[in-house]
Amino acid sequence: MMRGAETEFTCLSWNIHRGRGADGRVDAARIARVLAEEVARPAPDALVLQEADAETPPHQGFLDLGRIEAATGLVHLHGDAAHRWGAESHGFLGTIVFLHPEARLDEIALIDLPGHCHRGAVVVDFTLGGREMRLVGTHLSLGQGLRVAQMRTIGQHLFRRAARPTILAGDLNEWRPWGGLALSRRVTGLDLRGPAPATFPARRPLLPLDRVLVTPPARVTEARVLDGPGIRMASDHRPLRARIALSD
């Protein structure tokens, strides 16, 4: 959305816990329904899901992508097999990105991240409303040492690319509201900024594990943790909706 010389961009991030809800049931249809009824209203410009493919190889997809696209008005970006972990996956190691249909996709890169569990990041360069932007979706490790190595890997990858305002979205597993070493400029080379509202656990959030952070000149003007009966039942994390302003 354009407002004079300023662009407003809305990004949603949600760890859907591989469809396993508070009742112990794996229910992909429930995820799609909650997205439609409680999460994606109004429709965002981008949606980043984590734990959205099966945990073990071949990391098989389980969501109804068409239903999610219809519910959100967004486009699934992993149709090309080169943009997925494998032929049966919907994304890359559980991270799936959906984007505004008017966005021009410039490039997608997949980054393997170090760790005991196979983790990854999806880097999407796109242009929307005449503005070049970059969205990085990821799910980092529980261990701080591994998070440092993973964010260093992401930072080194981005260092080799042309600079763009960057949005980092996902389950970053950082519990400190002020941010840990992994998210620091010293490690990443990026000036990542943004609030840290609590998103975990879903029934009574105490920890700010899920983040939407940006690099200047972008800024997060609002970060809202969503709630609703379906949200509390569908996953162990709550969705985080961030409003981002970009100015010249």
Side-chain angles (χ1 to χ4, degrees):
M1 179 187 299
M2 299 294 295
R3 290 184 176 178
E6 191 169 76
T7 301
E8 186 177 273
F9 187 87
T10 304
C11 181
L12 262 169
S13 176
W14 192 19
N15 181 329
I16 62 171
H17 197 45
R18 297 187 175 86
R20 186 176 300 278
D23 55 4
R25 291 192 302 111
V26 175
D27 190 341
R30 175 169 54 192
I31 294 293
R33 184 174 65 253
V34 173
L35 274 167
E37 296 176 357
E38 298 182 13
V39 176
R41 288 188 175 181
D45 296 305
L47 169 66
V48 182
L49 300 178
Q50 306 92 54
E51 295 193 16
D53 281 330
E55 184 173 10
T56 57
H59 301 295
Q60 193 169 26
F62 59 86
L63 296 171
D64 184 338
L65 298 176
R67 186 174 177 185
I68 292 175
E69 286 184 318
T72 62
L74 305 179
V75 177
H76 172 246
L77 294 189
H78 305 267
D80 188 327
H83 300 153
R84 306 194 300 271
W85 187 88
E88 299 180 51
S89 306
H90 287 163
F92 185 59
L93 296 168
T95 297
I96 302 179
V97 180
F98 298 80
L99 194 60
H100 195 289
E102 294 180 7
R104 186 190 74 207
L105 187 60
D106 299 324
E107 185 177 357
I108 295 181
L110 307 180
I111 308 175
D112 285 281
L113 300 178
H116 302 307
C117 299
H118 199 173
R119 300 288 174 110
V122 179
V123 181
V124 181
D125 283 7
F126 65 97
T127 303
L128 181 62
R131 293 189 184 273
E132 294 183 342
M133 302 169 64
R134 174 170 293 139
L135 174 61
V136 181
T138 193
H139 181 190
L140 300 182
S141 172
L142 288 167
Q144 178 174 248
L146 285 175
R147 288 199 301 276
V148 169
Q150 289 164 353
M151 284 303 302
R152 181 66 173 173
T153 301
I154 292 172
Q156 287 175 328
H157 173 87
L158 297 182
F159 181 74
R160 298 191 301 271
R161 303 177 69 142
R164 293 185 178 210
T166 297
I167 303 165
L168 174 67
D171 179 359
L172 306 187
N173 266 317
E174 176 53 66
W175 57 269
R176 304 168 191 72
W178 55 91
L181 178 62
L183 303 180
S184 69
R185 191 168 189 171
R186 175 183 171 189
V187 166
T188 65
L190 303 170
D191 185 11
L192 294 167
R193 304 179 185 183
T199 58
F200 180 88
R203 288 197 173 273
R204 188 179 181 186
L206 298 172
L207 302 176
L209 301 187
D210 304 274
R211 308 282 179 98
V212 176
L213 305 175
V214 300
T215 62
R219 66 186 190 282
V220 178
T221 59
E222 180 186 39
R224 183 161 57 93
V225 180
L226 305 184
D227 190 18
I231 288 171
R232 294 188 181 201
M233 182 57 70
S235 175
D236 58 346
H237 288 245
R238 289 197 192 177
L240 179 64
R241 183 185 185 99
R243 183 178 298 157
I244 299 160
L246 297 104
S247 54
D248 295 327

